[in-house]
Amino acid sequence: MPGKLKVKIVAGRHLPVMDRASDLTDAFVEVKFGNTTFKTDVYLKSLNPQWNSEWFKFEVDDEDLQDEPLQITVLDHDTYSANDAIGKVYIDIDPLLYSEAATVISGWFPIYDTIHGIRGEINVVVKVDLFNDLNRFRQSSCGVKFFCTTSIPKCYRAVIIHGFVEELVVNEDPEYQWIDRIRTPRASNEARQRLISLMSGELQRKIGLKVLEMRGNAVVGYLQCFDLEGESGLVVRAIGTVCTLDKLSSPAAHLPACNSPSKEIKESPLVHPPSHGCRSTHNSPIHTATGSRLTQNFSVSVPTLIYTGMGSGSAGKEGGPFKALLRQQTQSALEQREFPFFTLTAFPPGFLVHVGGVVSARSVKLLDRIHNPAFVGIMGNTRSYKLLDWNSFNSDEPETRDAWWAEIRQEIKSHAKALGCHAVVGYSESTSICEEVCILSASGTAAVLNPRFLQDGTVEGCLEQRLEENLPAGCGFCHIPYDELNMPFPAHLTYCYNCRKQKVPDVLFTTIDLPVDAIVIGKGCLIQARLCRLKKKAQAEANATAISNLLPFMEYEVHTQLMNKLKLKGMNALFGLRIQITVGENMLMGLASATGVYLAALPTPGGIQIAGKTPNDGSYEQHISHMQKKINDTIAKNKELYEINPPEISEEIIGSPIPEPRQRSRLLRSQSESSDEVTELDLSHGKKDAFVLEIDDTDAMEDVHSLLTDVPPPSGFYSCNTEIMPGINNWTSEIQMFTSVRVIRLSSLNLTNQALNKNFNDLCENLLKSLYFKLRSMIPCCLCHVNFTVSLPEDELIQVTVTAVAITFDKNQALQTTKTHAEKSLQRASTDNEELLQFPLELCSDSLPSHPFPPSKEHLESASANSGIPAAQRDRCSSWIELIKLKAQTIRRGSIKTTVTVEKASPVGEGTFRNRSAPPCTNSTVGVVKMTPLSFIPGAKITKYLGIINMFFIRETTSLREEGGVSGFLHAFIAEVFAMVRAHVAALGGNAVVSYIMKQCVFMENPNKNQAQCLINVSGDAVIFVRESELEVVSTQQSAPSCQSSCTGGEVTT
Amino acid sequence: MTSELDIFVGNTTLIDEDVYRLWLDGYSVNDAVALRVRSGILEQTGATAAVLQSDTMDHYRTFHMLERLLHAPPKLLHQLIFQIPPSRQALLIERYYAFDEAFVREVLGKKLSKGTKKDLDDISTKTGITLKSCRRQFDNFKRVFKVVEEMRGSLVDNIQQHFLLSDRLARDYAAIVFFANNRFETGKKKLQYLSFGDFAFCAELMIQNWTLGAVDSQVDDMDMDLDKEFLQDLKELKVLVADKDLLDLHKSLVCTALRGKLGVFSEMEANFKNLSRGLVNVAAKLTHNKDVRDLFVDLVEKFVEPCRSDHWPLKDVQLFLNQYSASVHSLDGFRHQALWDRYVGTLHGCLLRLYHD
């Protein structure tokens, strides 16, 4: 009995009117935890009740503490009829269970009703007294920290990174129970919310147990997802990376600590006790569940493409033996693990040695309730159901789903092996469900990891160190991990353009963030491949077969599109690649997003060639050459736009075998317009060569056109889907996180693949354009972590959800950095004049003259900008002056008097103002809570992680028109979700959510019935941050920390 | 391909001031889009009309959701749904409660009732302000009126507390509420030359001097209603014109003092009795509600118009009124000096403000 939960209900405000006669409410509160319920007194006739209750005490197991949410229900007392529910608040008390996080939850929570939305707020204080538990056989895992952040959290250092952890829990979905036919929508929604809350609590506890078993103390990169399988149930699954984290005593010293973990640790992070390898519920990776039927065994594993570069080459001189050694080491460390996977996307320096490329696996499965025998009993005999609490069945037979995932993971592992890698980083899993078909997907980046965090003087260490000294940092991860002589696929290798010692592929695709030390030229940009494929409506196996037949083609086309777009941008690497395949009734959608960059270590990409299949047709030829010119122009423009001016390399410096003659010949050809030659080239390279686009039919024509229709963001805007934008490092503090949702209805007439593609493409492009327009006031800014999600809620509906954060940056400093860069290239240009001629041949001819000039222009610009007041700063100044003027206008006279009276006016939170010499505009009692999908807050330091936020909401309406239609309904709901997340963070004492993600946004409508329903699942890490400079605290109204403390203070006192 | 659903929700609620203004002005989404297109925003930003349409819809939806909160501005400050920086909150409130000069002149002094609301169609056609905007402005007046109607304390302070308006705007609302409560006639043709500012100025003076609150700050409804006792007492001033000796003495005192200083001396001398009678009779009549309503009509008829027809310059009006009110102190037979000061002090300020073309 190791815990005491204490809850106090303080007050309510802004309650809805529940009694029409008096226009008031007689509110009271029920506080429920587990099976215990307490009630407050009824506070008569008030919309702002002051209950000031005693402390309600629950004495509970810590197992329950982890699983159960605290449930607070606000009701309106009614003497004659049943009490009416106003709404509920669910509070996850998990953050109170580990010592370093929050100690108290206290604040105003929105009272939420699944039918009416937010209806007022309630002030609650929650505390937990934990007793030390020495029970060895305990079922709880209190104290294990969870982080959504996919890198080592900022105020910790990783002592050991243990590895992969996964778990899943299955239950029946209350929405599909027989009882749902007779209960109210509200009751059904609440049952679902409560169940999911319970399940995720349980899941987290189980994961925690595994973590303890592995001797870790934290899960980083924790990703929990729901699969709403409909009739067949509800799956909650989670993956993460187990670590042993140490809190940094002084937050200032966090950077060096990453570099040199304490000396005592002799064991490398990866060679950590094999005896504690990841044990999971299934011991054999692949097994078939008992009671299987034909349908269950039906599973199609899709041949998976492995994305890397292409071409061929010979062995590196120095790297060979060392590489082998390294591989052996890592191998021994990693092979003891079932799955050497890491959900992290950013790593401590030196951790990542080589990157092989993206590995992914998909599998199409048929969902069938038969898999969960327990349910058969329930569903077969509805009468006996009443006697059974289906909660008691939880986690019954998760075997099937577990086996499915194990199978996929095994495949990923073997793919990684084929790439000469023993680990997979940036690993993630996802599903797409339509009716009874489910596509399971997993992807990651095959990598070779450094077996030791610490080089402690062993021979290998020396060798490695020497190697690292020799190699300029920042290109090592590009070097191929696989054996050049025995390559898993045709690849095109050259010597690294940075160090000249190791081989690199010509293109690199990864799912991770750009390593901090990577040398990048110019800026990056968001690259998307979009694809639709029609599919016949079919049932069961036929459907699954159709889908699995389509998948490889989609993967291939997505890959081709990505490759072409990357070339078009003049870049050579993709980071943060995420390919989402969505299945619908009659179509499949593929959406791949990634951030393209130019890695200095990789060769300059060649241009794109267009080849016609019907020569000797004059007009056709003309058309082709016209297209070719357009493409070349675009490439040149993009290079300028993204400031890609790679310093060209003199042949002497290379000093090693010159790139293969074949490449040379291609250079020549790239200038020739003759299609015959190109065709020849095409034959010699086979289908996989992305340099050549073959225009043999209208489809291909469409493809080329679609390539050219992607408009670059307006000037002042950049976008990427990684944490930070390569090439920008001078962020200012303004951030704006947003979610945008669009649904389009396709007219069923034009359902051809092309029309579909065009619709989908337009949808995404227009969405992006809208975002740029909406956020134009933040220019110069960058959209970071742009996360697109596609779903097909109905036959002819496509839904796209985007979450991202816009961050402003200082253009001036950006110019300065490019200036040094430009200077460099200028110098080179002047010294190596002759080389200049050779180099650009590889590029399109158009870019030749533009090369030497842009740098100098920039140079001039930056020089002029530096001479006086920096332009951007000037802008900022003037806008500030405007703002001040505006304030002055609105509050012209007696501003101080105004605010004083305002304070008196506010019925609540009077205490907030007491000690403040309030500037005219900061009289709100609500503290600002920032939200961001990134793991950091620009211009600020995260001082404390308060715990994970993981919330699930359902909203339903039966008066859709009255609520402003579907847009009004969803707009309000998302705003409410944000508000509830912010309120929870503020109650924990935090002022921001980092690594925020909206994992699910399932929207269903029935306009004929005037109904709609939406489910949203969000998560993130609640943190406290402190601004790095006091100056900024003054200048921004979001001076969160100071405001926060005073606000919470005020709230508690009221 | 049609857009079924299209939304954008920011953690910090985006407020576009231009769109907010269009929304407040009561334009439909389509009209607003057309107006924005005309402003050249497409050229500036390189956006398409579709983008503009979607953006405008989004903002309108946000404003629609915010409107409920704007009806009780303190709620906007404490609500959790929309995270809006305080400076933006202030802007939202201030703009929402701002009103059009043309509109306020139409309803100033009218009862804020359903009947008046029905006339908004006509006002809309007459002023060219959209009906939607008229409704918002009218409802604002009415809402403020309802909230502060029964409240103790300073009218301006009450308005500021409950609506978080700037000082300027709160004063304007105080004037509107005061006029609505006392139903002063402002719509007569004679009064058309007067601006809202003129009336608001007078209202402020009257609130400061003629209401209950002016003498006792502990009374209910103190700033809204005129001090009945004071109005009753004003009858006593009648002696100034009824007593012939007193009137003559008053005239001679004024004439002596102003001789040579006034450009329109002879006209003043000729008109003194009429003017004085006019001003004093206005005071004496204020016991009747109907005459209170006609206060401004009477002031213009009895004083402003006669002076204006004789082309008095403003400077002379000022000199005259100074002397006119001061000389009463030298009338030995007149015992109601304090009453006179309370009356004429306010009147003095009002008349000067009302005296223009």
Side-chain angles (χ1 to χ4, degrees):
Chain A
M1 203 275 301
K4 194 185 267 177
L5 172 69
K6 299 192 290 181
V7 184
K8 185 184 172 104
I9 305 296
V10 183
R13 66 183 184 194
H14 304 154
L15 295 189
V17 170
M18 297 300 281
D19 178 7
R20 284 273 151 238
S22 66
D23 266 1
L24 288 167
T25 297
D26 305 324
F28 72 100
V29 182
E30 273 182 15
V31 185
K32 190 178 176 197
F33 190 82
N35 293 318
T36 318
T37 309
F38 291 102
K39 279 182 194 173
T40 66
D41 298 333
V42 177
Y43 196 93
L44 290 170
K45 300 199 183 312
S46 171
L47 298 183
N48 300 298
Q50 306 288 319
W51 291 289
N52 241 324
S53 79
E54 57 186 301
W55 285 99
F56 299 123
K57 296 186 181 106
F58 300 87
E59 297 184 334
V60 276
D61 286 348
D62 50 358
E63 190 180 333
D64 284 342
L65 280 175
Q66 283 194 298
D67 287 7
E68 294 268 352
L70 175 66
Q71 187 178 322
I72 294 168
T73 314
V74 186
L75 299 114
D76 176 52
H77 176 75
D78 206 322
T79 323
Y80 303 108
S81 60
N83 299 328
D84 295 321
I86 296 173
K88 287 192 176 199
V89 180
Y90 291 95
I91 301 177
D92 180 12
I93 45 177
D94 215 45
L96 295 179
L97 301 183
Y98 39 93
S99 50
E100 285 155 50
T103 52
V104 63
I105 299 176
S106 166
W108 289 99
F109 291 88
I111 302 168
Y112 182 71
D113 178 69
T114 59
I115 306 294
H116 293 103
I118 289 178
R119 307 172 94 189
E121 290 120 39
I122 185 169
N123 196 327
V124 180
V125 186
V126 185
K127 284 181 183 171
V128 171
D129 289 339
L130 266 189
F131 312 126
N132 261 344
D133 180 23
L134 300 172
N135 181 4
R136 297 195 131 269
F137 307 101
R138 61 181 186 172
Q139 286 299 299
S140 82
S141 54
C142 291
V144 174
K145 291 182 278 285
F146 286 81
F147 301 92
C148 295
T149 303
T150 56
S151 56
I152 301 304
K154 291 291 179 303
C155 42
Y156 292 90
R157 75 186 169 83
V159 180
I160 302 158
I161 299 177
H162 299 269
F164 190 59
V165 67
E166 51 76 35
E167 183 61 270
L168 61 77
V169 177
V170 182
N171 209 319
E172 192 181 358
D173 191 339
E175 184 101 341
Y176 293 88
Q177 285 172 309
W178 71 271
I179 197 172
D180 205 59
R181 276 174 232 154
I182 54 164
R183 67 180 161 192
T184 62
R186 177 181 283 119
S188 161
N189 292 338
E190 281 172 2
R192 250 176 140 186
Q193 282 194 172
R194 197 181 115 75
L195 174 67
I196 288 191
S197 189
L198 261 173
M199 285 171 80
S200 53
E202 185 194 332
L203 186 72
Q204 216 169 313
R205 174 173 59 82
K206 285 189 167 174
I207 292 242
L209 282 173
K210 288 187 176 181
V211 171
L212 292 176
E213 208 173 298
M214 289 164 82
R215 298 266 169 90
N217 65 3
V219 181
V220 180
Y222 184 67
L223 178 70
Q224 184 190 295
C225 290
F226 300 98
D227 296 331
L228 300 168
E229 295 186 350
E231 294 275 310
S232 68
L234 196 78
V235 178
V236 186
R237 57 190 164 82
I239 54 174
T241 305
V242 181
C243 295
T244 302
L245 297 183
D246 236 11
K247 188 145 171 68
L248 294 170
S249 45
S250 129
H254 72 272
L255 256 178
C258 289
N259 275 326
S260 56
S262 78
K263 294 274 169 192
E264 290 99 279
I265 308 142
K266 286 269 153 58
E267 284 160 327
S268 71
L270 295 178
V271 197
H272 192 66
S275 54
H276 298 103
C278 169
R279 189 194 65 87
S280 77
T281 46
H282 45 83
N283 288 322
S284 60
I286 306 172
H287 67 267
T288 42
T290 50
S292 66
R293 299 194 325 186
L294 178 71
T295 46
Q296 194 202 341
N297 280 340
F298 189 88
S299 136
V300 185
S301 191
V302 175
T304 309
L305 291 168
I306 300 162
Y307 301 131
T308 44
M310 42 218 72
S312 62
S314 56
K317 280 179 193 164
E318 204 178 326
F322 165 69
K323 209 177 272 175
L325 194 66
L326 191 67
R327 192 174 300 128
Q328 265 170 20
Q329 256 178 32
T330 340
Q331 192 157 12
S332 59
L334 286 168
E335 267 181 359
Q336 275 130 10
R337 272 152 228 277
E338 191 173 10
F339 297 115
F341 297 169
F342 299 85
T343 53
L344 303 180
T345 57
F347 312 91
F351 186 72
L352 194 65
V353 181
H354 299 305
V355 168
V358 169
V359 286
S360 78
R362 285 180 216 284
S363 149
V364 183
K365 300 283 183 188
L366 275 181
L367 301 171
D368 195 339
R369 63 167 66 255
I370 291 299
H371 299 328
N372 300 314
F375 294 152
V376 183
I378 298 169
M379 300 312 291
N381 184 353
T382 43
R383 253 185 235 164
S384 69
Y385 172 76
K386 277 186 186 170
L387 305 171
L388 299 164
D389 173 12
W390 40 262
N391 277 334
S392 63
F393 284 99
N394 54 14
S395 78
D396 52 328
E397 308 299 321
E399 237 89 312
T400 316
R401 304 294 182 271
D402 237 359
W404 288 354
W405 286 112
E407 202 179 293
I408 292 232
R409 288 171 194 143
Q410 206 61 43
E411 204 177 317
I412 290 276
K413 192 177 167 185
S414 65
H415 285 320
K417 210 168 240 168
L419 282 174
C421 298
H422 303 291
V424 176
V425 293
Y427 179 74
S428 67
E429 295 175 347
S430 63
T431 57
S432 170
I433 298 171
C434 178
E435 303 287 313
E436 68 219 313
V437 177
C438 174
I439 302 183
L440 310 185
S441 309
S443 72
T445 305
V448 174
L449 303 177
N450 191 339
R452 49 197 58 248
F453 241 178
L454 183 70
Q455 284 117 39
D456 49 356
T458 59
V459 187
E460 295 87 16
C462 284
L463 202 146
E464 195 181 345
Q465 216 154 23
R466 189 167 58 87
L467 191 84
E468 274 178 4
E469 275 161 18
N470 288 347
L471 290 177
C475 63
F477 73 94
C478 306
H479 301 161
I480 52 160
Y482 34 85
D483 188 359
E484 295 90 319
L485 296 170
N486 187 16
M487 280 196 299
F489 49 85
H492 183 108
L493 301 178
T494 47
Y495 279 99
C496 174
Y497 275 55
N498 192 41
C499 65
R500 302 271 145 211
K501 298 207 170 70
Q502 303 275 313
K503 294 273 178 150
V504 291
D506 56 354
V507 180
L508 188 64
F509 284 14
T510 75
T511 57
I512 54 171
D513 272 338
L514 188 70
V516 212
D517 53 351
I519 302 171
V520 172
I521 293 173
K523 296 200 167 62
C525 75
L526 180 72
I527 290 179
Q528 286 196 319
R530 304 156 188 143
L531 191 68
C532 305
R533 278 288 169 271
L534 284 172
K535 159 184 96 62
K536 283 207 182 72
K537 278 191 192 180
Q539 293 299 311
E541 280 127 274
N543 196 15
T545 315
I547 293 168
S548 42
N549 285 343
L550 274 172
L551 279 180
F553 293 98
M554 294 196 61
E555 296 252 18
Y556 175 74
E557 269 186 65
V558 164
H559 179 221
T560 313
Q561 247 189 62
L562 280 175
M563 195 62 110
N564 286 334
K565 288 190 177 177
L566 186 66
K567 301 274 173 207
L568 203 64
K569 295 279 194 294
M571 298 175 183
N572 57 19
L574 286 181
F575 286 88
L577 176 65
R578 186 168 161 262
I579 303 177
Q580 197 198 349
I581 305 265
T582 310
V583 57
E585 285 271 277
N586 54 352
M587 62 178 104
L588 282 174
M589 310 282 274
L591 180 68
S593 308
T595 302
V597 293
Y598 187 105
L599 284 178
L602 266 46
T604 313
I608 296 177
Q609 300 293 316
I610 295 187
K613 268 282 159 89
T614 39
N616 310 323
D617 178 351
S619 66
Y620 188 71
E621 290 275 303
Q622 209 177 9
H623 181 70
I624 295 271
S625 69
H626 176 69
M627 295 275 277
Q628 180 71 58
K629 187 170 179 317
K630 248 171 125 177
I631 284 177
N632 292 348
D633 287 349
T634 314
I635 294 177
K637 237 189 336 204
N638 281 330
K639 283 194 172 176
E640 204 172 321
L641 184 65
Y642 299 109
E643 295 157 25
I644 301 171
N645 316 302
E648 84 306 325
I649 289 121
S650 68
E651 306 269 308
E652 303 99 81
I653 302 171
I654 292 175
S656 49
I658 300 156
E660 299 83 311
R662 202 185 59 190
Q663 197 183 357
R664 279 250 145 153
S665 67
R666 190 190 288 153
L667 295 187
L668 287 173
R669 276 199 210 98
S670 70
Q671 287 192 313
S672 97
E673 299 277 287
S674 151
S675 61
D676 278 351
E677 259 187 76
V678 178
T679 321
E680 216 178 270
L681 177 83
D682 172 50
L683 290 171
S684 69
H685 281 234
K687 264 235 143 190
K688 271 210 157 184
D689 198 327
F691 293 112
V692 181
L693 278 183
E694 223 175 83
I695 303 186
D696 47 0
D697 55 15
T698 41
D699 265 17
M701 211 61 167
E702 290 282 332
D703 291 347
V704 176
H705 275 299
S706 71
L707 268 184
L708 294 168
T709 49
D710 280 10
V711 219
S715 73
F717 263 112
Y718 293 94
S719 55
C720 62
N721 77 333
T722 47
E723 283 251 309
I724 44 154
M725 176 70 172
I728 301 177
N729 41 23
N730 38 304
W731 304 107
T732 47
S733 57
E734 199 186 336
I735 66 170
Q736 166 73 294
M737 188 283 297
F738 59 85
T739 292
S740 185
V741 184
R742 276 200 189 180
V743 176
I744 56 160
R745 185 176 290 280
L746 304 159
S747 52
S748 49
L749 295 172
N750 60 359
L751 280 186
T752 62
N753 275 336
Q754 278 111 319
L756 258 179
N757 276 334
K758 189 173 177 318
N759 278 330
F760 185 39
N761 222 3
D762 289 351
L763 172 61
C764 294
E765 284 292 317
N766 289 339
L767 189 48
L768 281 170
K769 274 184 213 160
S770 269
L771 297 182
Y772 295 139
F773 180 76
K774 280 200 172 290
L775 298 164
R776 65 193 185 283
S777 65
M778 292 181 78
I779 285 178
C781 87
C782 178
L783 298 186
C784 294
H785 214 286
V786 178
N787 186 9
F788 273 69
T789 318
V790 186
S791 51
L792 299 162
E794 267 172 58
D795 265 17
E796 280 134 22
L797 294 185
I798 304 179
Q799 178 192 329
V800 175
T801 311
V802 184
T803 299
V805 63
I807 312 182
T808 55
F809 61 91
D810 191 338
K811 207 172 186 179
N812 248 17
Q813 284 176 35
L815 271 176
Q816 269 170 1
T817 51
T818 47
K819 190 191 84 181
T820 53
H821 203 64
E823 267 175 350
K824 256 192 246 160
S825 55
L826 235 138
Q827 276 170 7
R828 272 182 203 273
S830 57
T831 50
D832 308 334
N833 242 336
E834 282 179 70
E835 254 66 32
L836 195 72
L837 282 173
Q838 292 176 356
F839 167 65
L841 292 181
E842 206 172 80
L843 313 166
C844 324
S845 47
D846 307 57
S847 69
L848 205 160
S850 70
H851 238 278
F853 295 121
S856 59
K857 224 194 290 170
E858 262 166 13
H859 182 67
L860 275 176
E861 253 172 45
S862 60
S864 68
N866 286 336
S867 62
I869 305 164
Q873 220 165 337
R874 229 182 298 135
D875 284 357
R876 199 142 301 189
C877 281
S878 66
S879 68
W880 265 109
I881 289 167
E882 268 169 34
L883 189 82
I884 291 163
K885 269 187 197 159
L886 194 120
K887 277 190 201 168
Q889 264 167 10
T890 48
I891 316 195
R892 218 178 287 153
R893 277 184 281 164
S895 62
I896 290 165
K897 189 185 158 204
T898 315
T899 49
V900 171
T901 52
V902 164
E903 285 158 25
K904 269 190 244 152
S906 59
V908 269
E910 275 169 47
T912 319
F913 304 99
R914 231 162 269 154
N915 303 325
R916 275 206 273 167
S917 55
C921 283
T922 52
N923 45 18
S924 164
T925 49
V926 184
V928 172
V929 176
K930 296 205 171 198
M931 291 168 75
T932 172
L934 308 179
S935 65
F936 66 99
I937 291 170
K941 198 163 271 168
I942 293 172
T943 54
K944 197 173 181 187
Y945 281 80
L946 299 167
I948 199 169
I949 296 278
N950 187 9
M951 298 169 93
F952 178 85
F953 298 103
I954 302 177
R955 180 87 153 79
E956 188 166 345
T957 183
T958 47
S959 51
L960 188 58
R961 271 187 298 278
E962 294 76 359
E963 292 191 37
V966 284
S967 295
F969 171 71
L970 195 59
H971 192 147
F973 183 37
I974 292 179
E976 285 173 342
V977 169
F978 286 1
M980 287 185 275
V981 170
R982 287 193 302 255
H984 276 80
V985 173
L988 286 170
N991 54 12
V993 189
V994 296
S995 299
Y996 167 82
I997 173 174
M998 183 178 281
K999 288 177 292 194
Q1000 223 144 15
C1001 177
V1002 184
F1003 178 72
M1004 288 156 287
E1005 56 167 325
N1006 190 341
N1008 297 331
K1009 282 190 179 165
N1010 206 17
Q1011 288 175 341
Q1013 191 192 37
C1014 186
L1015 296 85
I1016 286 182
N1017 178 214
V1018 296
S1019 65
D1021 294 327
V1023 299
I1024 302 177
F1025 73 87
V1026 178
R1027 285 246 163 272
E1028 266 163 9
S1029 66
E1030 286 301 312
L1031 257 174
E1032 275 170 352
V1033 177
V1034 180
S1035 68
T1036 26
Q1037 71 287 84
Q1038 287 130 325
S1039 57
S1042 62
C1043 171
Q1044 186 59 44
S1045 56
S1046 66
C1047 287
T1048 43
E1051 281 160 10
V1052 173
T1053 55
T1054 46
Chain B
M1 180 179 96
T2 48
S3 229
E4 283 272 304
L5 185 158
D6 180 3
I7 57 159
F8 176 98
V9 191
N11 183 37
T12 306
T13 307
L14 278 185
I15 309 284
D16 187 308
E17 288 179 43
D18 298 333
V19 183
Y20 189 46
R21 187 161 286 147
L22 292 168
W23 178 74
L24 289 175
D25 287 344
Y27 291 106
S28 68
V29 173
N30 287 339
D31 292 348
V33 170
L35 284 165
R36 292 182 84 188
V37 169
R38 230 172 290 159
S39 77
I41 196 165
L42 293 186
E43 290 74 24
Q44 282 164 35
T45 57
T48 62
V51 165
L52 205 59
Q53 172 88 23
S54 127
D55 180 65
T56 312
M57 285 283 277
D58 246 338
H59 284 302
Y60 266 56
R61 213 179 300 118
T62 309
F63 298 143
H64 182 74
M65 286 190 260
L66 283 171
E67 191 164 21
R68 188 176 52 85
L69 298 164
L70 283 165
H71 289 168
K75 265 193 189 167
L76 183 70
L77 260 66
H78 297 117
Q79 55 83 30
L80 303 174
I81 299 180
F82 302 96
Q83 185 160 275
I84 305 171
S87 62
R88 288 268 142 170
Q89 288 180 346
L91 177 122
L92 283 173
I93 298 167
E94 195 74 4
R95 293 260 176 91
Y96 189 78
Y97 283 91
F99 48 83
D100 290 304
E101 168 86 23
F103 176 79
V104 74
R105 276 298 278 112
E106 292 296 324
V107 296
L108 193 64
K110 281 189 186 146
K111 197 175 175 187
L112 299 174
S113 63
K114 285 212 173 97
T116 315
K117 197 169 179 178
K118 275 181 195 141
D119 299 338
L120 291 180
D121 295 29
D122 301 336
I123 296 177
S124 169
T125 352
K126 191 177 164 194
T127 56
I129 298 163
T130 59
L131 183 60
K132 231 177 169 179
S133 178
C134 288
R135 288 221 178 100
R136 171 182 61 83
Q137 298 181 38
F138 182 81
D139 289 342
N140 282 346
F141 295 167
K142 196 170 166 181
R143 195 175 316 113
V144 174
F145 185 93
K146 281 254 179 275
V147 168
V148 298
E149 196 179 19
E150 305 283 318
M151 234 171 241
R152 292 156 173 261
S154 148
L155 191 54
V156 177
D157 286 355
N158 284 339
I159 293 172
Q160 267 188 347
Q161 277 179 29
H162 288 91
F163 293 93
L164 311 179
L165 303 180
S166 69
D167 194 54
R168 176 72 260 148
L169 199 55
R171 279 164 201 275
D172 286 349
Y173 267 91
I176 292 164
V177 167
F178 183 72
F179 266 65
N181 190 48
N182 292 292
R183 312 271 300 281
F184 291 116
E185 173 63 57
T186 64
K188 281 263 165 63
K189 209 165 182 195
K190 281 187 179 123
L191 302 179
Q192 283 310 310
Y193 78 100
L194 292 170
S195 70
F196 170 72
D198 298 334
F199 287 117
F201 180 86
C202 299
E204 199 171 340
L205 282 179
M206 287 156 82
I207 292 169
Q208 275 165 16
N209 299 303
W210 289 3
T211 58
L212 275 174
V215 280
D216 182 357
S217 55
Q218 294 308 309
V219 188
D220 285 355
D221 304 352
M222 36 187 256
D223 271 5
M224 294 271 276
D225 296 313
L226 292 168
D227 184 349
K228 285 271 162 12
E229 225 170 289
F230 162 67
L231 298 181
Q232 211 68 41
D233 292 346
L234 284 176
K235 274 189 192 153
E236 308 289 341
L237 299 181
K238 230 174 171 177
V239 72
L240 281 174
V241 288
D243 185 331
K244 198 157 184 325
D245 296 343
L246 218 50
L247 181 61
D248 287 339
L249 185 58
H250 190 190
K251 180 180 171 182
S252 67
L253 278 170
V254 173
C255 290
T256 328
L258 290 178
R259 193 179 304 273
K261 289 180 186 156
L262 228 52
V264 289
F265 184 79
S266 53
E267 289 91 334
M268 188 275 284
E269 201 172 14
N271 259 334
F272 181 86
K273 285 187 180 171
N274 271 340
L275 291 176
S276 187
R277 233 175 248 133
L279 294 179
V280 173
N281 281 337
V282 166
K285 280 201 307 182
L286 286 179
T287 41
H288 303 291
N289 274 339
K290 197 198 159 294
D291 292 310
V292 171
R293 286 183 206 169
D294 283 340
L295 176 69
F296 289 93
V297 183
D298 289 344
L299 289 179
V300 169
E301 251 173 27
K302 299 282 159 49
F303 184 84
V304 176
E305 283 182 345
C307 295
R308 205 159 42 191
S309 66
D310 285 341
H311 304 291
W312 290 35
L314 184 63
K315 183 173 64 72
D316 288 1
V317 175
Q318 191 170 2
L319 280 170
F320 168 75
L321 284 173
N322 281 344
Q323 207 52 50
Y324 177 75
S325 47
S327 308
V328 173
H329 296 291
S330 316
L331 297 174
D332 291 336
F334 185 68
R335 289 175 294 117
H336 308 285
Q337 299 292 354
L339 185 68
W340 171 255
D341 282 348
R342 190 177 173 189
Y343 173 67
V344 92
T346 302
L347 206 65
H348 183 172
C350 293
L351 287 173
L352 283 178
R353 179 76 192 221
L354 298 180
Y355 190 80
H356 62 82
D357 291 326

